[in-house]
Amino acid sequence: MLQRNSDLPYVVPDEPPVRAAESWQYPTVDLREMGRILRRRYRLVVLPVAVLLGLALTYLTLTTTLYTATSTVLVDPRRANVVETNQSVLSNFGTDDATIESQTLLIQSVAILVRVVGKLKLTEDAEFKPKPGLLDPIRRLFSNSGPSNGASPEDAARARSVEILQRRMKVTRQGTTFLVDIAVSSESPQKAATIANAVADAYFEEQVRAKHDATRIAANWLNGQIDELKSRVVASEKAVEDFRSANNLMVSQGVTLNDQQLTDLNNKLIAARVQTAEARAKYEQVQDIARSGGDPGGINAAISSEMITKLRTQYADIAKNEADLSSKYGARHPLVANVRAQRRDTQKLINDEIRRILDSTKHDYDVARSREVSLQQNLDQLQGVSTSSGQAQVRLRELQREAEASRTLYESYLARSKETTAQESLEMPDSRIVTKASIPIRPSSPKTMLILGLAVMLGLGAGSVLAFLTDYLDGRIKTLEQAEAIAGVPALAAVPLIGTRELARLAKRGRSELGRYDPKTTKLLPAPLQPPLTRYAIDEPGTFFAEAVRAVRLALQRTMRSQPVKVVQVTSALDSEGKTTLAINLAQSLATLGIRTLLIDGDLRNPQVTRSLCPRADAGLLEVAIGQVAPEHAVLVDQSTGLSVLPSTRIKQVEYITELMFSDRIVDVLDYFRHRYELIVIDSPPLVPLVDGRALAELADRIILALAWDQTPREVLSHAMDLLSPVSDRIMGTVLTRVDLSRLQFYDYYRSSAYLKPYGTASLHAGAAR
């Protein structure tokens, strides 16, 4: 049942309840609430998707199909040298990222693309000619110059073709590798592959041309430097020779003649000193033997003399023979005398030979000493000459160093020139093709599935944002919880919307009564001729509509059990919020229970109750209040339900209405009926546009506020509650009217038709209702 889940009676608080309108905030949206928002705003979600899909399909239909061919190039830093040299004029590529990125930009530079355009004659290709567009006149207004200004038609056409080719080409590096992809898009698959390969070839040609130009420039510069260095080397060597000749610094085997002579004399002097020392030693030995009276034959020279050795041997033989003869013949024998004479002669020869050796030792010493003195004199003389030429040698060595430096530099430049000349005739690019571009078999643009997928995703995203934004900005009341939170009073029930088909079906039942109906009667209309919606709770008791009316009736009965309630005002904040339908059905429902109930049409400006139940009534509330008609004559009774109705006739003087609502006459009328009826239901004017409803609220015991579902703004409800603040303790609650239960499930599932479907089969389709 669509009513509050509470069995406790509604008790009027001692103090007016504090409304939460001022502190009410939009609730935090959880995932389930987000899902409900998307479901109830599905049209907004689908609309951007449909629009973007339409635009995407239009784009796919109008855009040109392109094919992309890719050629892969390896920027190889390890270039092979056919000519073996120490280093090339233009060094190999580095391995840093900046170098590879620079080569990537070089591939798509204008210099390379101009080669491709010229080689393939793309200026004559219609695809690479600019096509006139609708915005060209506007672009020309904002462009100061164009490619054709100051250039020949050929150059302008080539520039435009290069610009189009740049847009059709994409050069990218594969990650952090040395591989670079050259992708070219064209309307023709064959043309795309041809252009991609042509760009790679043009890149290699540009590398070779750059190296050839750099090598040629270096060779020309080296040739000029070699001529200059050659002249400098010749001049330096001539200066060395001239200085050497002028200062007598001739060189033999790498040293000057003077230095060579000094070296030789020094060596000879050393040898002479050694000889002099040996001769002196021999001479001093002889002198020592002579002074001591020793045997001179003991000197080394005598001992080593072969002559003395022979004479000594001979002397020993003679002495032996003399001894033999003396012992045999005696000392005076002539043979002995002869042998003795031989011995004396031999001794004399030995002494003479020793004497000669002694004289020779002295002579050798004198000669060695003289030779030493002579060599020392010559050495001293040459040292004097060398000292005088030392300064000249310092200058000579300086000239030699300059000549050697010039010669080294000249030889280095000469060798480098020969290497450069060898490189000039053979230059290899530092890159190579890894994969040639092949003819693509599938188009690369437009990407149909990607575009359609993006359109759907963007559409869903935009639609979702639009749905959330619309729902956030939608300030109309959708649920009983919102009504309670804003009004600060209980939400009694949600009265569903009745479809037009259902109303039309019920209206057909009154056709038979039309013939018997007197249009001039002032009584109530027969039940079949009354609008179906005013009797729906009675005619269709098993519907959700009747259940909602019974929920309001139950809340009112609970209040009546605990509090004295006689006058119940049914009002609304604005017009056309279903208060009249609610008031009539509520009054009829109370009357069917046997409660003496009076329904007063208090909306004197727009008497909907009277117009629906008794449009020809000639007396009503105003006439009773001013005393023209007795109350019992103005009240009409519905025989089918027992409900009494006090209509309201049309009043042309509007000022009477305001005065009546604020006069004691209306109070007297209500007091009169209080004693004759158990409950009085007043259908009052709306609160916000008219003051009449506020005046009636001062006289009512309880106030029921009708709110049109998905129509009444939150601000309006808050304002209406402010207007009722003087009688806030009399507000029994709010009732949502014209609720589309099929849509309510997206706001409040447990009060929607989806949750209550097993309990009823009423026609609850959306449609027009009063």
Side-chain angles (χ1 to χ4, degrees):
M1 183 184 300
L2 294 181
Q3 64 182 41
R4 295 176 55 84
N5 296 326
S6 176
D7 294 331
L8 297 177
Y10 176 75
V11 180
V12 179
D14 296 335
E15 296 182 359
V18 179
R19 292 189 297 107
E22 293 78 4
S23 61
W24 186 86
Q25 297 179 352
Y26 286 98
T28 303
V29 180
D30 56 11
L31 292 179
R32 289 179 296 179
E33 180 64 19
M34 291 175 65
R36 287 194 291 266
I37 291 174
L38 294 177
R39 290 183 63 186
R40 64 180 175 248
R41 305 286 181 180
Y42 71 94
R43 291 185 179 88
L44 292 178
V45 176
V46 174
L47 178 61
V49 175
V51 172
L52 288 180
L53 276 178
L55 294 176
L57 291 174
T58 304
Y59 169 77
L60 293 174
T61 304
L62 299 179
T63 190
T64 304
T65 301
L66 298 178
Y67 295 85
T68 301
T70 302
S71 176
T72 303
V73 174
L74 174 64
V75 181
D76 192 358
R78 301 164 299 177
R79 179 177 56 86
N81 290 327
V82 177
V83 180
E84 190 67 30
T85 58
N86 293 331
Q87 60 180 356
S88 60
V89 175
L90 196 61
S91 61
N92 296 346
F93 292 151
T95 58
D96 57 303
D97 292 339
T99 302
I100 308 302
E101 293 296 335
S102 299
Q103 294 301 312
T104 302
L105 295 177
L106 176 62
I107 294 175
Q108 49 191 330
S109 64
V110 175
I112 298 222
L113 298 186
V114 166
R115 290 174 176 265
V116 177
V117 169
K119 181 179 180 181
L120 300 180
K121 298 180 180 180
L122 297 182
T123 54
E124 303 175 3
D125 193 333
E127 183 180 352
F128 291 90
K129 291 181 180 180
K131 298 177 177 60
L134 297 177
L135 301 179
D136 287 347
I138 300 177
R139 292 194 185 99
R140 283 194 291 268
L141 290 177
F142 292 96
S143 61
N144 296 327
S145 61
S148 59
N149 291 354
S152 63
E154 293 79 8
D155 293 339
R158 183 166 52 250
R160 288 192 290 266
S161 298
V162 169
E163 183 179 357
I164 295 174
L165 180 57
Q166 282 180 327
R167 293 198 299 265
R168 292 290 183 87
M169 185 177 68
K170 184 178 181 181
V171 181
T172 55
R173 179 185 180 188
Q174 295 185 8
T176 57
T177 65
F178 298 141
L179 296 176
V180 177
D181 292 334
I182 304 173
V184 177
S185 299
S186 175
E187 298 175 8
S188 171
Q190 295 83 0
K191 189 188 302 180
T194 302
I195 296 176
N197 291 325
V199 171
D201 294 338
Y203 169 59
F204 298 152
E205 292 174 2
E206 178 64 20
Q207 284 187 342
V208 174
R209 184 198 62 78
K211 287 195 172 188
H212 182 271
D213 292 346
T215 304
R216 179 171 50 80
I217 294 173
N220 294 336
W221 181 81
L222 287 173
N223 290 334
Q225 294 295 318
I226 287 172
D227 294 338
E228 181 181 352
L229 289 174
K230 182 177 180 181
S231 302
R232 190 185 304 174
V233 169
V234 172
S236 299
E237 291 181 350
K238 186 175 182 302
V240 171
E241 295 301 327
D242 292 344
F243 186 82
R244 182 181 284 118
S245 299
N247 292 276
N248 195 21
L249 297 176
M250 301 306 295
V251 177
S252 176
Q253 297 180 354
V255 295
T256 61
L257 295 178
N258 189 28
D259 292 341
Q260 187 174 5
Q261 289 178 356
L262 281 174
T263 302
D264 293 342
L265 284 176
N266 190 43
N267 294 334
K268 290 180 179 180
L269 178 60
I270 294 173
R273 286 176 178 174
V274 173
Q275 292 178 359
T276 300
E278 291 178 355
R280 179 186 296 173
K282 292 179 180 179
Y283 177 70
E284 288 177 354
Q285 182 183 11
V286 171
Q287 291 295 327
D288 291 341
I289 292 174
R291 283 195 296 269
S292 63
D295 183 8
I299 62 177
N300 293 332
I303 294 173
S304 59
S305 175
E306 294 181 358
M307 181 60 71
I308 292 178
T309 302
K310 291 180 180 179
L311 290 175
R312 286 180 181 272
T313 303
Q314 184 177 356
Y315 181 83
D317 292 340
I318 292 173
K320 181 180 178 181
N321 190 21
E322 181 182 3
D324 291 339
L325 290 177
S326 296
S327 61
K328 185 176 179 180
Y329 296 107
R332 296 183 179 278
H333 190 276
L335 291 176
V336 175
N338 188 24
V339 172
R340 189 176 294 116
Q342 291 180 356
R343 183 175 60 78
R344 286 196 294 273
D345 291 339
T346 302
Q347 184 64 42
K348 181 180 179 183
L349 291 173
I350 292 173
N351 293 335
D352 291 341
E353 185 65 23
I354 292 173
R355 191 177 297 106
R356 186 185 62 78
I357 291 173
L358 293 176
D359 293 340
S360 175
T361 301
K362 183 176 183 307
H363 179 266
D364 291 341
Y365 171 67
D366 293 339
V367 170
R369 186 174 182 184
S370 298
R371 184 169 177 268
E372 180 185 356
V373 172
S374 177
L375 289 174
Q376 185 64 45
Q377 291 176 353
N378 291 336
L379 181 62
D380 294 340
Q381 183 179 1
L382 285 176
Q383 286 179 346
V385 174
S386 176
T387 301
S388 62
S389 63
Q391 191 65 30
Q393 290 182 354
V394 172
R395 176 58 182 167
L396 176 62
R397 284 192 291 272
E398 181 180 355
L399 294 175
Q400 287 177 339
R401 285 193 297 269
E402 292 179 358
E404 184 65 24
S406 298
R407 185 183 303 107
T408 302
L409 185 60
Y410 170 72
E411 291 175 353
S412 175
Y413 272 57
L414 184 61
R416 186 61 179 149
S417 176
K418 291 180 179 180
E419 293 175 359
T420 304
T421 303
Q423 288 181 359
E424 186 177 2
S425 60
L426 181 60
E427 286 291 353
M428 300 294 292
D430 290 328
S431 304
R432 59 186 178 89
I433 293 181
V434 176
T435 304
K436 276 185 169 287
S438 58
I439 299 175
I441 59 176
R442 295 184 181 86
S444 60
S445 174
K447 300 183 181 299
T448 304
M449 298 306 298
L450 177 61
I451 293 176
L452 293 178
L454 287 177
V456 172
M457 292 179 62
L458 292 177
L460 289 175
S464 300
V465 172
L466 184 60
F468 289 135
L469 183 61
T470 303
D471 195 81
Y472 178 80
L473 297 178
D474 188 0
R476 295 171 296 184
I477 297 175
K478 303 293 193 308
T479 64
L480 296 177
E481 286 75 11
Q482 290 180 351
E484 284 188 0
I486 297 173
V489 296
L492 304 177
V495 180
L497 177 70
I498 306 303
T500 54
R501 291 184 179 181
E502 176 69 9
L503 295 177
R505 182 184 64 83
L506 295 176
K508 292 179 181 180
R509 296 183 299 182
R511 291 180 181 179
S512 59
E513 295 290 334
L514 288 176
R516 296 189 296 269
Y517 171 67
D518 183 7
K520 295 181 179 181
T521 182
T522 59
K523 298 181 180 181
L524 290 175
L525 293 174
L529 293 181
Q530 293 179 8
L533 198 58
T534 59
R535 301 181 58 85
Y536 198 81
I538 303 300
D539 296 340
E540 302 291 336
T543 61
F544 297 151
F545 186 96
E547 191 71 16
V549 173
R550 287 193 289 270
V552 179
R553 185 186 68 184
L554 177 61
L556 181 58
Q557 288 177 313
R558 287 175 178 172
T559 305
M560 293 171 62
R561 295 190 190 104
S562 59
Q563 300 291 334
V565 176
K566 283 288 186 175
V567 179
V568 176
Q569 179 188 9
V570 179
T571 185
S572 63
L574 300 174
D575 192 18
S576 300
E577 292 195 77
K579 63 179 180 60
T580 300
T581 302
L582 176 62
I584 296 175
N585 282 273
L586 178 61
Q588 291 175 349
S589 179
L590 290 168
T592 56
L593 294 180
I595 301 174
R596 295 193 306 276
T597 305
L598 173 64
L599 174 62
I600 299 177
D601 189 352
D603 193 351
L604 301 180
R605 301 174 191 262
N606 186 20
Q608 286 289 344
V609 173
T610 303
R611 195 176 295 126
S612 300
L613 301 181
C614 47
R616 296 293 181 177
D618 54 359
L621 177 62
L622 179 61
E623 289 77 12
V624 173
I626 62 179
Q628 291 183 357
V629 178
E632 59 271 11
H633 293 159
V635 174
L636 304 176
V637 179
D638 185 1
Q639 299 299 329
S640 63
T641 60
L643 174 66
S644 300
V645 179
L646 178 60
S648 178
T649 58
R650 182 178 296 275
I651 302 176
K652 297 181 180 179
Q653 292 78 12
V654 179
E655 61 273 11
Y656 290 165
I657 300 175
T658 305
E659 296 300 331
L660 176 65
M661 293 301 174
F662 288 92
S663 66
D664 293 336
R665 295 177 180 179
I666 194 69
V667 177
D668 295 338
V669 171
L670 292 179
D671 287 342
Y672 175 82
F673 287 118
R674 281 177 184 267
H675 296 89
R676 288 163 175 79
Y677 292 95
E678 296 180 53
L679 193 63
I680 301 172
V681 178
I682 302 177
D683 177 27
S684 75
L687 298 173
V688 174
L690 301 175
V691 73
D692 303 352
R694 305 173 212 169
L696 286 174
E698 301 284 344
L699 306 176
D701 297 327
R702 288 293 181 267
I703 301 171
I704 297 175
L705 187 61
L707 306 173
W709 182 83
D710 197 20
Q711 180 177 339
T712 303
R714 298 186 181 100
E715 295 80 5
V716 173
L717 174 58
S718 178
H719 181 55
M721 297 303 296
D722 291 336
L723 296 177
L724 294 176
S725 58
V727 292
S728 59
D729 56 335
R730 305 178 189 178
I731 302 175
M732 191 175 72
T734 60
V735 177
L736 284 183
T737 61
R738 299 181 179 180
V739 178
D740 188 347
L741 294 182
S742 62
R743 293 176 54 198
L744 184 63
Q745 62 179 324
F746 303 128
Y747 299 92
D748 190 351
Y749 180 80
Y750 300 105
R751 290 185 176 90
S752 66
S753 61
Y755 187 73
L756 300 175
K757 186 175 181 180
Y759 301 97
T761 58
S763 175
L764 301 173
H765 299 289
R770 296 181 62 184

